[in-house]
Amino acid sequence: MRSHYCGHLNKSLVGQPVELCGWVNRRRDLGGLIFVDMRDREGLVQVVVDPDMADVFETANQLRNEFCIRLEGEVRARPDSQINSDMATGEVEVLAKHLEIINRSDVLPLDFNQNNTEEQRLKYRYLDLRRPEMSERIKLRAKASSFVRRFLDEHNFLDIETPVLTKATPEGARDYLVPSRVHKGKFYALPQSPQLFKQLLMMSGFDRYYQIVKCFRDEDLRADRQPEFTQIDIETSFMTADEVRQVTEKMIRDMWQELLDVNLGEFPVMPFSEAIRRFGSDKPDLRNPLELIDVADLVKDVDFKVFAGPANDPKGRVAVLCVPGGAQLTRKQIDGYAEFVSVYGAKGLAWMKVNDREAGVEGVQSPVAKFLSAPVIEALLDRTQAKTGDIILFGADKANVVAEALGALRLKVGLDLELTDLSAWAPLWVIDFPMFEEDDEGHLSAMHHPFTSPLGVTAEELIANPASANSDAYDMVLNGYEVGGGSVRIHDAAMQAAVFETLGIDEEEQQLKFGFLLDALKYGTPPHAGLAFGLDRLVMLLCGTENIRDVIAFPKTTAASCLMTDAPSLANPAALEELAVAIAVDKK
């Protein structure tokens, strides 16, 4: 039906006949002539309808926006005075010789010339995807997927599929469960990742595996999360953590170079402890120049318990942010920041404005200055290298509260005061994560997942002192987003049992949940390591948007529902009966 895409027409085709299919983007009737901007997935081209061609002109008179049409015509050059430099096809136009209306369109529930609500866009997603902006995002996603396949194929990775109906495993979120009709009362789980299967593939001798795979997590959503998401899953045998990082870093660098013509350069490597100390986050945005500065040693002897208490607590921390030009902030703005950090558990936000650095103590303004001696204030100004016009923002609490509160405040202030270079790209690797996290009750959980290998300890040493163990894990971070994470996996049955024991998973539960994996570890398991990238998040960054729903063709809302299909929906009672599933009714 078509010979060319609208957006591919150029001066090299002048004088040639073309057949186009697409939609009416806009129609203009100038009396003597009708101009139609015709659109398909590759762009726009201007179509000219001459009244001398009566049949074509009569059909063109009927056109309205979003009519689906087919056109036969001839490409011709526009006069120099009529070239449209804002269009890729702006040097040419098509003289219509035959015009066919394939399908008419009702008045649209979306306005392509205005900002529609996200609810409208999701409800009529098939229309929203016609917009050139959305079309470009979906095309860029396809190019990214194609690049990944080409790169990994060229590096001897095999694309191998793994099951979607599987067994529940602990991956950090709730599973989506699928009832079995054949095995009544039993359930499959949709995979949160192919973690165990890709490890089993390494045990099977497929030393380089990849898969672009759907994963499912029943968790609270936000802008960069979806209940179903796409993962670039990579696993290798006989490769060290450094070697895995080397090949996957090259993949991302080459992707950015090919798709955006951007050179990301070599990625710096930063231990987890350093990232938390300097930035309050394990996914620091290095486009932001602000860093957390520890000052507990300077305030541990002051008569101000808000500072002295955490400064003398082994689990406490006192740190500051020195914000260039921050003295301009009003009291109302500072109070707003205090409310902001309260979300992260902070009980307040002390501050100190440096109105005149040369004047020393006399040049500062702060509600806490009266509690601090002149030498302490001078030491704070020296430690932070504060200058006239800066503000120092304090965090004093449990170490994790200070890190989360000041880490989040760092990002907000950086954007609010335009300190963050939004035009830059700032990648890095974060490594040497703690093996376990401890909750308020002292219970341990795996920071990544329970199949991550400890770093440099034996099974006995791990059991004896789990809180001090680090894992051989690594995350790739780009502009403050974790875009990929992985680790060296446990390939020794004794070490895997030690990790399960540390997590409080007894032998009976181990066999029930992971018996097949523990059995496989007995038969010559090779050392193996891997990494998984979030394809949605990578494409989000490539497209310059901050919402992964913008790069997924048919996404869910933050309530995990589809406004277009009205999913999830109620099940047929007969189907539930066949599955032996009963619905519990809330009497309230």
Side-chain angles (χ1 to χ4, degrees), residues 516-530:
F516 62 96
L517 177 68
L518 295 174
D519 285 344
L521 288 171
K522 300 174 184 176
Y523 302 110
T525 298
H528 54 287

Side-chain angles (χ1 to χ4, degrees), residues 25 156 218 528 559 584:
N25 196 68
N156 299 319
D218 185 6
H528 54 287

Side-chain angles (χ1 to χ4, degrees), residues 103-410:
N103 232 324
R104 298 170 184 268
S105 172
D106 289 346
V107 177
L108 298 182
L110 298 181
D111 187 338
F112 284 10
N113 297 313
Q114 295 183 10
N115 288 326
N116 301 285
T117 66
E118 187 168 42
E119 288 75 14
Q120 288 175 301
R121 292 176 55 207
L122 293 179
K123 183 173 177 61
Y124 300 100
R125 189 63 163 187
Y126 44 87
L127 295 177
D128 185 49
L129 290 173
R130 289 186 191 174
R131 294 190 301 121
E133 180 182 28
M134 290 302 298
S135 178
E136 289 302 314
R137 289 169 178 169
I138 298 302
K139 285 159 56 182
L140 186 56
R141 182 186 179 108
K143 290 178 182 178
S145 296
S146 176
F147 174 87
V148 167
R149 294 187 189 281
R150 282 187 283 113
F151 181 93
L152 293 175
D153 288 345
E154 290 167 4
H155 286 76
N156 299 319
F157 285 82
L158 299 176
D159 183 357
I160 306 175
E161 294 181 349
T162 54
V164 174
L165 294 177
T166 183
K167 188 173 185 176
T169 58
E171 297 279 352
R174 290 178 295 273
D175 291 302
Y176 280 101
L177 299 177
V178 180
S180 170
R181 179 186 59 82
V182 176
H183 305 281
K184 287 184 168 48
K186 293 185 177 182
F187 295 80
Y188 299 102
L190 300 182
Q192 295 186 37
S193 82
Q195 181 61 47
L196 297 184
F197 288 105
K198 63 186 177 186
Q199 288 189 248
L200 291 169
L201 286 170
M202 296 304 102
M203 300 169 195
S204 304
F206 299 103
D207 62 315
R208 292 193 175 198
Y209 140 94
Y210 83 93
Q211 187 181 186
I212 298 179
V213 59
K214 280 287 188 184
C215 301
F216 307 86
R217 295 188 179 184
D218 185 6
E219 58 186 349
D220 295 333
L221 306 183
R222 57 182 185 231
D224 61 343
R225 280 185 180 169
Q226 282 280 292
E228 53 179 317
F229 58 95
T230 306
Q231 189 164 286
I232 305 169
D233 207 44
I234 299 171
E235 196 77 8
T236 69
S237 297
F238 308 113
M239 287 179 69
T240 65
D242 286 344
E243 290 170 330
V244 171
R245 290 202 300 270
Q246 183 180 1
V247 70
T248 53
E249 178 180 321
K250 177 173 172 53
M251 184 179 79
I252 297 303
R253 282 207 316 267
D254 289 359
M255 181 189 294
W256 252 248
Q257 189 70 61
E258 179 172 313
L259 301 183
L260 296 184
D261 195 22
V262 167
N263 181 4
L264 292 176
E266 297 291 327
F267 292 13
V269 179
M270 184 180 298
F272 170 88
S273 57
E274 181 183 345
I276 295 297
R277 175 175 58 81
R278 293 174 58 190
F279 307 106
S281 171
D282 61 0
K283 48 180 187 294
D285 187 348
L286 299 187
R287 299 174 301 169
N288 181 328
L290 300 180
E291 294 192 20
L292 278 64
I293 303 169
D294 285 298
V295 297
D297 60 311
L298 303 181
V299 297
K300 65 180 181 179
D301 297 322
V302 301
D303 293 327
F304 187 45
K305 291 183 179 180
V306 172
F307 287 174
N312 289 282
D313 182 349
K315 294 186 177 182
R317 185 180 183 187
V318 184
V320 300
L321 286 172
C322 183
V323 182
Q328 64 177 303
L329 293 172
T330 66
R331 184 58 184 268
K332 181 179 180 180
Q333 288 173 305
I334 296 172
D335 289 344
Y337 288 138
E339 184 176 348
F340 174 79
V341 297
S342 69
V343 175
Y344 300 90
K347 300 178 182 66
L349 183 66
W351 53 272
M352 181 180 291
K353 289 185 178 182
V354 184
N355 297 323
D356 184 355
R357 178 63 184 93
E358 299 301 321
V361 176
E362 298 300 321
V364 303
Q365 173 191 355
S366 170
V368 300
K370 60 187 176 184
F371 302 113
L372 309 177
S373 66
V376 169
I377 293 176
E378 280 290 352
L380 286 168
L381 296 175
D382 288 342
R383 176 74 59 86
T384 59
Q385 299 182 8
K387 298 179 176 62
T388 298
D390 294 350
I391 190 171
I392 300 172
L393 303 173
F394 292 80
D397 212 305
K398 296 293 184 183
N400 65 316
V401 172
V402 171
E404 290 183 17
L406 287 190
L409 183 62
R410 168 183 174 270

